[in-house]
Amino acid sequence: MSNRQSDFETTWAELKQLLEWQNGFGFYLIFADNAHTSAKLRERVQDFVRTRTGTIDWIKPEDSNTALEQVLSRIFESPTPSNAPIWLELSIAPYDLIWQETRREIISALNKRRSQLENTVKRPLFLQLPMQFAPELVTWAPDLWSIRQFIIEFPALTEVDSNTMELQQWQSSKSYEEAREKGELHSQLIHAQQAVELARQDLAKHNNRPQKVQNLLHALLDLSDSKLDAGDINTARAAANESLQLSYQQQKELGDIPMALRDLSTSLERLGEIEHISGHLDFARNMFNQSINIKRQLRAEFNNHPNTLQDLSALLAQLGELESDSGNLVSARQAINESLLLCRQLRNDIGDTPSTLNNLTIALAQLGDIEHNSHNQAAALALYQEALGLSRWQRTIQGSTPAVLRVLTKILLQLGNTEISLQQRDSANNSYQEGLKLCREIRASQGDTPNNLSILASFLESISSLELLNNNIYAARLVLNESLQLRSQLRQSLGDTPNILGNLAISFVKLADIELNNKNIAAAIEAYTKSQQLFLQMSNITGNVPSILSNLSSVQKRLSKLEKNK
């Protein structure tokens, strides 16, 4: 791999996505002192559009006396048989005074024709300029600057240490993705932290160049994601906050170009996810809604491009989950129904891609949760069964990846709980046992990550409840004790987050139910008392969330009744 390959491939991936989205005019800036790399990018664009629109229109004036006339004629007067991009290369003789003035004349002329460009040039326009011209562009072409969609920089290759650093960043990023795909959390954390450190060093050497800022921003998002998987919420929040500040900085400097908007939307979404887990529901809702507004803006700009729709559908599902946790079932249903509609549209348009299947499966399961919580068990069952079929199909296509198994096990748990509500105990037992087996296999291969322990504890609790229904009190207590140990382990490692407190409180309710069935009134009172304390602590963090208040009230009534009758 060449020294600057990582930087180039990152740039090309961003640009390719924009070209896929682009319909009509688009304005792209390339500041380049590296002729080899800029030519390589032009060739990539050529290869990309060859089967779509034909050969790019490469304009490269070599006579300063006729350059202005040549450029304007080729752009505005020549017939355009296709929608192939225009590549206007004005990087010749960057230090020649005559050519410097010629560049200013051409840029100024194009700036005056901004409206004509947008209305009559129905294809992308790439403008290649020397690096030194970057500070002048805003002065000579403020109108053009305001409609730019992407900025690319290819400086001369003079700093070997910087190039080596970029290669190291690429290698760290690749190792991070490989570790994440395999579910190797420890390795994932190491590579994410390394990528952030390298990106900081690289940014410090390049005086806040937009691409270097973006590299750090993306590295921070990866670190935040990894820390969240590890249950380190404080560090995850700090990384997400820093990425958000960098996103605002990029938007201020570059304007509302798609690259800056996507990064800002992703940073808002990540911070919202963290605050949701932390129980700061109003703050999380604000973050999600800001991110959704940006994604709707991108959707309108890029005419329902699949990538935009996928991002929007996934975020709406997150908002729906938050509204459900807040007890706002009407708002939750509205958000998830929109997500589900987008997912079905995407599946119809582009087929069973991994992201399409994953988003559709999650949306179906979340709508099933709402129906389950609304006591519409038959509707919930149908949704879970459809989600389960898709999840099994996804496993067939993609294999047993950690991400696929995580969704599959969650659906099996939800399905089993609904089958219990419908008095289908044998079916519920089959769902639970299949899920429990998968959970133990995942734990054995990936270790005691928070996600692995939490889902395993949930299965054990549900199996315990089923054993109690079947009057197997000893088995119910045995299984629940294992779950309580896991919940306590999670609390010790992650602290008193609302999810941790709520799950532990429910476990103590289930323990109290077992003790009541075994006529151990004192033990039942003790378990209910612990549950009450946990629900109160949880309520102090989240505020008056209806579901928490309902659970607290139920426990207090049971506790009061027992204490009166003892």
Side-chain angles (χ1 to χ4, degrees):
M1 177 176 291
S2 64
N3 286 337
R4 301 192 67 86
Q5 184 71 9
S6 61
D7 224 8
F8 178 84
E9 294 300 338
T10 299
T11 299
W12 169 240
E14 289 277 344
L15 180 58
K16 181 182 176 184
Q17 187 175 55
L18 284 174
L19 291 174
E20 289 173 341
W21 287 357
Q22 190 68 51
N23 182 21
F25 179 74
F27 184 50
Y28 305 92
L29 284 167
I30 300 103
F31 296 109
D33 286 346
N34 182 345
H36 172 76
T37 309
S38 57
K40 183 178 178 182
L41 181 66
R42 188 182 65 251
E43 290 168 3
R44 283 284 182 94
V45 174
Q46 174 63 82
D47 292 341
F48 177 76
V49 303
R50 181 174 285 114
T51 58
R52 299 169 179 242
T53 60
T55 305
I56 64 173
D57 190 359
W58 183 15
I59 305 173
K60 185 181 180 182
E62 296 183 353
D63 184 346
S64 61
N65 294 316
T66 60
L68 176 60
E69 180 182 354
Q70 178 187 354
V71 168
L72 296 181
S73 174
R74 288 278 295 275
I75 292 177
F76 295 109
E77 298 175 15
S78 297
T80 55
S82 71
N83 294 323
I86 299 170
W87 189 288
L88 175 55
E89 184 173 340
L90 297 178
S91 54
I92 187 173
Y95 299 102
D96 183 88
L97 294 178
I98 295 177
W99 266 107
Q100 288 178 10
E101 186 59 32
T102 300
R103 266 186 288 274
R104 295 186 185 108
E105 290 177 356
I106 293 172
I107 295 303
S108 180
L110 291 175
N111 186 69
K112 292 177 182 178
R113 292 165 173 79
R114 169 196 160 177
S115 295
Q116 188 179 357
L117 279 171
E118 291 185 288
N119 295 326
T120 64
V121 180
K122 304 296 185 180
R123 48 187 179 148
L125 170 61
F126 291 84
L127 175 57
Q128 181 179 334
L129 294 162
M131 286 288 295
Q132 70 182 54
F133 198 84
E136 295 187 44
L137 188 64
V138 180
T139 301
W140 288 98
D143 291 340
L144 281 182
W145 178 259
S146 69
I147 62 170
R148 70 207 182 283
Q149 288 184 279
F150 198 58
I151 299 173
I152 301 166
E153 295 179 342
F154 292 133
L157 295 180
T158 56
E159 298 183 31
V160 176
D161 60 337
S162 175
N163 300 330
T164 303
M165 189 178 297
E166 288 173 1
L167 177 58
Q168 290 173 338
Q169 286 182 66
W170 181 87
Q171 290 170 334
S172 292
S173 178
K174 182 180 179 182
S175 298
Y176 164 82
E177 293 296 341
E178 290 174 349
R180 184 168 179 77
E181 179 69 19
K182 297 175 183 177
E184 297 172 351
L185 182 57
H186 179 68
S187 178
Q188 181 182 324
L189 286 164
I190 291 173
H191 292 302
Q193 187 65 60
Q194 184 181 43
V196 168
E197 292 170 359
L198 289 168
R200 287 194 197 284
Q201 295 173 32
D202 201 22
L203 179 61
K205 292 185 176 184
H206 289 89
N207 195 27
N208 286 334
R209 276 178 52 201
Q211 190 164 345
K212 304 303 181 183
V213 174
Q214 188 184 45
N215 289 345
L216 176 57
L217 190 157
H218 289 175
L220 285 164
L221 286 171
D222 287 343
L223 178 62
S224 176
D225 201 26
S226 299
K227 290 295 185 179
L228 199 57
D229 286 346
D232 186 353
I233 291 179
N234 290 333
T235 306
R237 180 185 289 110
N241 268 317
E242 186 176 355
S243 78
L244 182 59
Q245 295 310 310
L246 290 173
S247 298
Y248 283 132
Q249 175 185 325
Q250 288 279 74
Q251 185 191 30
K252 182 178 179 181
E253 294 179 0
L254 303 179
D256 286 344
I257 64 175
M259 174 186 74
L261 290 176
R262 280 201 314 275
D263 287 342
L264 176 57
S265 177
T266 303
S267 296
L268 288 164
E269 181 180 352
R270 177 59 46 74
L271 191 56
E273 181 183 0
I274 293 167
E275 298 304 341
H276 181 191
I277 292 171
S278 301
H280 305 145
L281 303 185
D282 289 339
F283 188 91
R285 182 183 293 106
N286 182 37
M287 295 294 101
F288 285 153
N289 281 327
Q290 287 187 57
S291 182
I292 285 172
N293 289 338
I294 295 172
K295 291 189 190 300
R296 292 196 193 282
Q297 179 181 341
L298 289 169
R299 178 188 183 183
E301 184 173 348
F302 291 108
N303 194 27
N304 287 332
H305 188 276
N307 288 353
T308 308
L309 295 185
Q310 284 172 349
D311 290 346
L312 179 58
S313 68
L315 181 52
L316 284 165
Q318 285 200 73
L319 177 63
E321 185 178 4
L322 181 144
E323 296 293 4
S324 182
D325 289 346
S326 302
N328 304 323
L329 294 186
V330 173
S331 297
R333 192 187 302 274
Q334 180 180 359
I336 294 173
N337 271 326
E338 184 180 356
S339 173
L340 186 57
L341 184 66
L342 291 173
C343 290
R344 292 198 189 281
Q345 177 185 334
L346 279 165
R347 191 183 190 197
N348 183 65
D349 291 344
I350 63 176
D352 287 347
T353 66
S355 57
T356 300
L357 281 176
N358 186 65
N359 289 351
L360 177 56
T361 302
I362 290 173
L364 285 165
Q366 287 184 327
L367 191 56
D369 291 346
I370 292 175
E371 299 295 356
H372 179 76
N373 294 332
S374 301
H375 307 293
N376 301 323
Q377 303 305 337
L381 182 67
L383 289 162
Y384 289 142
Q385 287 174 337
E386 184 180 357
L388 181 61
L390 286 173
S391 188
R392 293 196 194 283
W393 174 235
Q394 192 174 6
R395 188 182 185 187
T396 300
I397 295 173
Q398 296 178 240
S400 298
T401 67
V404 169
L405 292 181
R406 190 159 50 243
V407 174
L408 176 58
T409 52
K410 185 176 180 181
I411 293 171
L412 286 166
L413 177 65
Q414 295 162 315
L415 177 62
N417 291 342
T418 300
E419 288 166 336
I420 287 290
S421 299
L422 292 168
Q423 303 299 316
Q424 299 174 8
R425 295 185 187 179
D426 289 341
S427 296
N429 185 59
N430 291 336
S431 298
Y432 289 152
Q433 293 302 327
E434 180 183 354
L436 181 64
K437 181 181 178 183
L438 285 173
C439 285
R440 294 202 188 280
E441 290 174 356
I442 293 169
R443 184 186 186 189
S445 64
Q446 298 178 13
D448 286 353
T449 68
N451 284 333
N452 292 346
L453 294 183
S454 181
I455 190 67
L456 176 56
S458 295
F459 270 103
L460 291 167
E461 287 163 3
S462 292
I463 291 170
S464 174
S465 296
L466 180 57
E467 295 290 0
L468 187 60
L469 285 173
N470 293 328
N471 293 316
N472 300 323
I473 295 176
Y474 176 78
R477 182 188 284 111
L478 185 67
V479 174
L480 187 62
N481 280 336
E482 183 182 353
S483 175
L484 276 167
Q485 290 174 357
L486 295 174
R487 296 292 187 199
S488 298
Q489 181 178 340
L490 283 166
R491 186 183 189 187
Q492 184 176 2
S493 61
L494 303 183
D496 288 346
T497 69
N499 282 342
I500 295 295
L501 295 173
N503 288 331
L504 189 54
I506 290 171
S507 293
F508 277 115
V509 170
K510 292 180 181 295
L511 178 60
D513 292 343
I514 292 172
E515 298 300 350
L516 276 179
N517 273 269
N518 206 33
K519 311 301 182 184
N520 295 329
I521 304 301
I525 289 175
E526 181 183 357
Y528 278 138
T529 300
K530 290 180 179 179
S531 178
Q532 176 184 243
Q533 293 168 347
L534 291 165
F535 278 129
L536 283 169
Q537 188 176 350
M538 186 182 179
S539 181
N540 288 335
I541 297 173
T542 63
N544 294 327
V545 175
S547 59
I548 299 173
L549 296 178
S550 176
N551 285 331
L552 176 59
S553 176
S554 175
V555 169
Q556 288 173 334
K557 287 177 182 178
R558 295 185 197 185
L559 190 56
S560 177
K561 184 177 179 180
L562 283 178
E563 289 177 336
K564 286 180 181 178
N565 296 332
K566 70 178 180 179

